[in-house]
Amino acid sequence: MATEVKGWPDWESWRSYSADFIKAKERDWKLYEIKEPNEAIPNFVIGPWQGWQENFERKNVQTFEYLVKNCRAWVEKNGKINKIKNDFPEISEFIGILIKETGEIVLFEGSHRAAAIALAKEMGQPIQFKNNPTIAIAEISRDERDLLEEKLKRGTHEELAQKK
């Protein structure tokens, strides 16, 4: 989608642009196993992506569980979410930002997978994981949370990136 709809030449360019917003190269990243993914992942905060955030009046604060409970029709119409729910990948890694002061994890990579997990749980059919997913996490302070607001305002279309 990033390459077709948003004008990026490849996925790497889109991901690099997104990573630059959170100063990813300057951060200390750690990889964790998610021990109870059906419980933990639905509670991750949805990242600053316009397509996901358009569902909410309050931006950058809603979880995947909230999305499924309050925007169920939108979630169920998304073919990618349903495909993943029905055939979850055996190996899965997420990327998130931990807000130090609040303990919130804001998901930066893996939104469709997280929504699939939240939907399956809400339907009473939690995903049966062959391997627990992992998540790469870097910490930011609450004061840096405005990076998420800036990211959401800027969007992820390639022509907007050229204007920064």
Side-chain angles (χ1 to χ4, degrees):
M1 184 161 144
T3 55
E4 298 164 13
V5 175
K6 298 185 179 202
W8 293 98
D10 52 54
W11 277 104
E12 184 62 32
S13 299
W14 177 80
R15 284 190 170 107
S16 293
Y17 170 70
S18 297
D20 287 347
F21 260 94
I22 58 167
K23 303 173 186 167
K25 291 180 182 176
E26 301 169 24
R27 302 202 184 274
D28 182 29
W29 292 88
K30 294 180 180 156
L31 186 65
Y32 299 93
E33 178 183 352
I34 304 172
K35 297 280 188 185
E36 296 182 21
N38 285 304
E39 298 305 316
I41 294 171
N43 290 305
F44 292 169
V45 174
I46 298 168
W49 315 115
Q50 291 175 341
W52 292 84
Q53 295 292 334
E54 71 186 5
N55 291 296
F56 314 118
E57 189 172 316
R58 293 181 55 231
K59 312 291 186 200
N60 289 327
V61 297
Q62 307 303 346
T63 65
F64 289 93
E65 180 178 61
Y66 182 92
L67 172 73
V68 168
K69 288 184 177 185
N70 294 280
C71 305
R72 179 91 175 247
W74 184 88
V75 173
E76 288 181 340
K77 277 195 280 189
N78 187 303
K80 187 171 181 178
I81 293 170
N82 282 292
K83 182 178 179 194
I84 293 169
K85 179 180 74 62
N86 295 328
D87 189 22
F88 200 85
E90 190 170 318
I91 304 294
S92 186
E93 182 174 296
F94 294 86
I95 299 174
I97 300 296
L98 174 67
I99 311 292
K100 285 190 276 192
E101 295 84 353
T102 64
E104 296 168 287
I105 294 175
V106 179
L107 201 60
F108 249 71
E109 178 73 24
S111 296
H112 288 91
R113 286 172 283 143
I117 292 166
L119 178 60
K121 180 183 175 194
E122 179 69 16
M123 295 174 73
Q125 304 166 349
I127 302 292
Q128 300 301 308
F129 292 93
K130 293 178 183 172
N131 301 292
N132 282 341
T134 57
I135 185 165
I137 292 182
E139 292 184 358
I140 67 172
S141 68
R142 187 177 5 214
D143 296 341
E144 294 179 283
R145 195 176 184 129
D146 63 335
L147 292 172
L148 303 176
E149 302 303 322
E150 183 182 339
K151 175 76 179 79
L152 183 59
K153 286 178 189 172
R154 180 71 57 91
T156 57
H157 284 78
E158 197 275 338
E159 75 270 5
L160 298 174
Q162 303 306 317
K163 296 179 184 178
K164 70 175 191 174

